[in-house]
Amino acid sequence: MLRRAILRGQICLLASLAVLLLWQLPSSGVVGLETGEQVTVSMNKVWPINNPTEMYPYYSLPFCTPPEVQTKYMTFGQIMRGDRLVNSLYNINYRENQERKPICERALSEDDVDAMRNAIENSYMFEIFVADLPVVRPLGIRTKENGQIKYWLVNNMDFNLGYNEGQVVAVNITTDVDLFDITQHKDGMKAQFSYSVNWFPSTIPASSRLQQQLAGSFTHHTQSLDIHWLAIINSFVLVLLIVSLLLLIILRVVRSDLSKYLHIPDEELTAGGEEESGWKLLHADVFRAPQHRMWFCALVGAGAQLFLMVIGTVLVGTSGLYLFERGGVLTFAFATFLVTAFLAGYLSAWLYRKLGGQKWAWNIVITAMMFVGPLFVIWSFLNSVAWAHQSTAALPFTTVIFLFFSWSCVTVPLTVLGGIMGRSNAAKWVDAGQAFPCKTNKLAREIPQCHWYHAPLAQMFASGFLPFSAIYIELHYVFSSVWGTKIYTLYGILLLTFVMLLLVASTVSVLLTYFHLNAEDHRWWWRSFGSGGSVSLFFYVYCIYYFFTSTRMFGFLQCSFFFGYSLLVAWGIFLMMGFVTFISNFVFVNYIYSRIKSD
């Protein structure tokens, strides 16, 4: 029965990955265009510039609408980003110029004018795709003439298209000529929408056309990018100094303790000639199972899964693979999260069995739900809000089915399979009496009263603040991309920042754990996890600060999305960083206690 279940899980895994890869394949509609062949032009969405995730379908505003609105091909990542590509009335042929030509004349009612005026007042932007190259332009402009505010609607677009190697390699759209005045509604008001097309040869290679198109809209200019690198390198040097000092302290103190202890003859240890002190007194209690070990192991397993997902995504972004494909990095992150569920189940069950846990089935279930559970609750609320506002941020029903299918047929079977293998592997060590370097007594040692700076809150504050101080510079650039329309491309800097975060968090946590054990308190399991997880608290506080100081977001939809998804990311950081610091402490504790002699 078990083999059949595993086989079914593998079949579901292959089917899901095949569907995902087919969904991600790029469209081939712009390959090898001949002169006169039609170029695909798609309309995407509209949104207020201050609320970039408050997205609406393009034809939700009174534009010229095709007789039949058809949805265009989109990758999984584009759908998750809120893109909703539909057909348009613009008829563009490859390398054929077109004089100004009307596409329709739209009668505007008073409600239509109010909707357009409100959109211009809130600085709405729209996005259009020409041969899969995106262009973002304002919906209109607001001017002030002789003390009177006037609203001008963009109704004419001049397409300037570059061609090379049989493809459209550059797109620029001029929208600031012959605007239509919609300041006041008039009886019989009609707006005529028109366009023109001008082709020119370009030297941009077809292979890098998307990169060049997006590069024109990046805000990271050369000078600011140099300053960005300089700030990160400066932080990296300071972090290395801090880590070096902390490691020097740990190595000198621990090596001193071990050398003094190991140079004592066995006769003196047996006769009691030298009394143990500090952390050495805890050899019979340091590997005692923590309270709520099932939940603790599930947290560790879920954190390991997120850690691998982040590492893989950052490395892919650094390599440039999928970097300029809209939603490509997001799709890769999703696929990585699915397949790394095996490690989550393995590590959680392995640790749970070593700690003497017996309810392994519940342990696997909780591990599988540890991140997905909060994700589903928050997403359900935010998706309902987006659906109520008729925003494209609400996922389509087919996408929801695909996500559930992927999780139930890939993540869950891999978690179960990893859990079975982890439990079996750990059982061999437990049966051989080698689960941990030291045996644990039945009765727990009395814990002495510690100083205030040994308290969990004090140590969590120190272990959270120092790592966060190493990454807060890069957070501003990440937030500008996540809560804006730009694609984040500085993955090299992000990788360097992530390495700094791991170094500082691990080093500070190990040092605090050593001080904690030296105070003769063996309860290090939850503290080691919480020391890294406390970074998430500073992250969420920074999110609140960023919202009120660097954004002009407003409205229930945007605020709920910002704080809801920020809370979800903070929970993911808690799991991931908790896993990192726990593993660092686990290796450290196993090392020092495997070097001492105990009965």
Side-chain angles (χ1 to χ4, degrees), residues 342-363:
F342 176 84
L343 177 66
Y346 182 91
L347 185 59
S348 177
W350 177 82
L351 184 61
Y352 183 66
R353 182 65 184 90
K354 276 197 166 187
L355 292 174
Q358 299 296 326
K359 300 179 181 179
W360 65 273
W362 277 108
N363 169 249

Side-chain angles (χ1 to χ4, degrees), residues 176-210:
D176 56 354
V177 293
D178 300 332
L179 302 179
F180 186 70
D181 186 4
I182 58 169
T183 304
Q184 292 182 349
H185 176 263
K186 300 176 183 177
D187 293 337
M189 177 180 285
K190 294 182 179 180
Q192 187 180 69
F193 294 85
S194 62
Y195 73 104
S196 66
V197 180
N198 178 46
W199 291 90
F200 62 91
S202 175
T203 58
I204 298 176
S207 59
S208 61
R209 66 191 191 99
L210 181 58

Side-chain angles (χ1 to χ4, degrees), residues 387-564:
W387 177 81
H389 285 77
Q390 298 182 346
S391 171
T392 61
L395 296 182
F397 180 73
T398 53
T399 305
V400 176
I401 295 299
F402 172 76
L403 291 174
F404 177 77
F405 171 78
S406 301
W407 178 78
S408 59
C409 294
V410 180
T411 301
V412 173
L414 285 179
T415 306
V416 174
L417 180 62
I420 294 174
M421 295 183 64
R423 176 175 174 270
S424 176
N425 190 11
K428 298 177 182 178
W429 291 84
V430 173
D431 295 340
Q434 299 177 348
F436 298 109
C438 303
K439 295 182 179 180
T440 303
N441 290 340
K442 293 183 177 180
L443 297 178
R445 178 184 177 85
E446 183 179 356
I447 300 173
Q449 186 175 1
C450 299
H451 297 288
W452 65 269
Y453 47 83
H454 286 143
L457 290 179
Q459 293 193 355
M460 288 177 64
F461 177 85
S463 57
F465 175 76
L466 289 176
F468 177 80
S469 63
I471 65 170
Y472 81 95
I473 295 177
E474 187 61 21
L475 278 181
H476 176 80
Y477 295 93
V478 174
F479 277 33
S480 299
S481 297
V482 172
W483 300 109
T485 58
K486 309 301 180 183
I487 296 180
Y488 187 82
T489 59
L490 306 177
Y491 283 92
I493 298 179
L494 186 62
L495 178 61
L496 184 61
T497 305
F498 190 61
V499 171
M500 288 193 297
L501 175 64
L502 300 182
L503 286 175
V504 177
S506 300
T507 308
V508 172
S509 179
V510 168
L511 182 63
L512 292 177
T513 296
Y514 175 77
F515 291 154
H516 185 68
L517 295 176
N518 238 14
E520 301 181 10
D521 190 343
H522 58 80
R523 299 170 301 179
W524 65 276
W525 298 88
W526 278 105
R527 287 198 180 195
S528 64
F529 192 93
S531 62
S534 60
V535 177
S536 62
L537 176 61
F538 290 91
F539 169 82
Y540 199 71
V541 171
Y542 179 81
C543 290
I544 299 174
Y545 169 79
Y546 180 86
F547 180 84
F548 288 106
T549 60
S550 301
T551 70
R552 291 185 290 175
M553 299 179 185
F554 59 89
F556 182 74
L557 173 63
Q558 184 64 27
C559 294
S560 60
F561 264 66
F562 183 88
F563 290 106

